[in-house]
Amino acid sequence: CFWFSLLWNFAEGTLALLGAIVGGIGGGLIWTAQGSYFARAAKDYARSVRKSVEDSTSLLAGYFAFVFLLLEVLCKVLSWAMIHSVGASPRSVMCIYTIVAITSTWYMLSVQDYPSSIGERLTSSQYKCTAAAHVFINDPKMKYMIGLNAVFGFASPFVNAYINGEVVRHVLNSEDSVGLL
């Protein structure tokens, strides 16, 4: 949606708001489903390497946090470098991120499918595309977790945009550093 807001300036605000809403809801669902999926993956890993579930969870959480934060920092630095060093337009950066998002979504179809807690084993593409909704519906803990995750999904991009758009610009006295931090 953000790429489209750059393409169609007449609907910029509406499309950016739509992107924030879709991203917030999607982020809330993905983070909620990821918790349940992560717990199952940690149990499976613990069983395969003959370690405790706690040790496996700790190890996998460390790997996840490292990769997640590394990619977040790399994306920020790369977008800044593309705009300020290479001379790319914000439109082309958003286009690249749109392609990365679509490709990532496509590759999610190849992620290990763990049976749900009620024992169903559906492996169709349709099921994989709606796996987060299935976990939300079938796992009784999810209804208590979705609120916090949805708020985080909404708030995180806005805080990031405010810090980059207002604070960094004033502290560093430069428009060129926005997006670097």
Side-chain angles (χ1 to χ4, degrees):
C1 286
F2 296 108
W3 181 49
F4 291 122
S5 73
L6 290 173
L7 291 176
W8 297 307
N9 292 337
F10 65 90
E12 180 178 340
T14 303
L15 289 171
L17 183 61
L18 179 63
I21 291 169
V22 169
I25 292 171
L29 285 172
I30 291 295
W31 280 103
T32 303
Q34 182 257 342
S36 180
Y37 185 89
F38 186 85
R40 291 176 187 165
K43 285 179 188 174
D44 189 33
Y45 180 76
R47 196 172 328 126
S48 69
V49 297
R50 294 187 174 103
K51 288 188 175 186
S52 70
V53 174
E54 291 81 15
D55 288 344
S56 297
T57 301
S58 178
L59 178 71
L60 294 176
Y63 288 157
F64 171 78
F66 176 77
V67 170
F68 180 78
L69 294 173
L70 177 69
L71 289 174
E72 182 179 3
V73 169
L74 284 176
C75 285
K76 288 180 179 183
V77 170
L78 286 173
S79 65
W80 180 85
M82 287 171 53
I83 291 172
H84 297 290
S85 297
V86 179
S89 69
R91 203 175 270 171
S92 54
V93 172
M94 287 297 163
C95 178
I96 290 169
Y97 285 162
T98 300
I99 292 167
V100 168
I102 291 169
T103 304
S104 300
T105 303
W106 177 259
Y107 277 111
M108 285 302 294
L109 295 173
S110 65
V111 170
Q112 167 72 33
D113 186 21
Y114 289 104
S116 72
S117 55
I118 58 173
E120 75 182 302
R121 279 192 167 264
L122 299 173
T123 57
S124 70
S125 295
Q126 178 188 7
Y127 176 76
K128 287 183 178 184
C129 288
T130 59
H134 286 280
V135 171
F136 179 70
I137 291 167
N138 295 326
D139 193 332
K141 296 177 285 188
M142 293 301 114
K143 64 183 172 188
Y144 301 112
M145 296 172 64
I146 190 73
L148 179 63
N149 290 314
V151 168
F152 178 80
F154 279 119
S156 179
F158 285 119
V159 169
N160 188 24
Y162 178 76
I163 294 295
N164 274 306
E166 297 296 325
V167 176
V168 172
R169 180 169 34 124
H170 292 296
V171 170
L172 298 178
N173 289 326
S174 171
E175 298 259 341
D176 292 341
S177 299
V178 172
L180 185 57
L181 301 178

